[in-house]
Amino acid sequence: MSVPCDRFILVRKKVKMSEQICVFCLNIVNDYVCHECGDYKGLMPLRDAKGYLGSDFPEEYLELV
């Protein structure tokens, strides 16, 4: 019998990560957690974050959208 934890790790490795932005500290993240502020709830794809943040969206990230 396999351990449920092993199955979770295998499934998690199949997920392809894309660039996201942390809406709390505005850091670009390629992981499950923002390494700048340590949060995971504020991570969003750049495309979605542009609409969510509106005029607060950093101009230097516009070329990535």
Side-chain angles (χ1 to χ4, degrees):
M1 179 182 254
S2 66
V3 179
C5 179
D6 292 339
R7 179 181 162 102
F8 174 74
I9 292 171
L10 289 175
V11 172
R12 184 175 167 193
K13 287 181 181 177
K14 292 180 183 177
V15 175
K16 183 179 179 185
M17 291 300 301
S18 61
E19 284 188 334
Q20 298 183 7
I21 188 169
C22 176
V23 296
F24 300 128
C25 68
L26 302 178
N27 187 34
I28 295 290
V29 179
N30 248 354
D31 204 354
Y32 297 99
V33 176
C34 175
H35 297 288
E36 189 73 28
C37 67
D39 194 76
Y40 65 94
K41 293 179 184 177
L43 298 182
M44 243 184 217
L46 288 169
R47 188 174 353 125
D48 298 339
K50 184 178 176 190
Y52 177 78
L53 293 171
S55 62
D56 293 334
F57 190 79
E59 290 181 18
E60 62 266 17
Y61 299 152
L62 286 175
E63 62 194 31
L64 299 175
V65 178

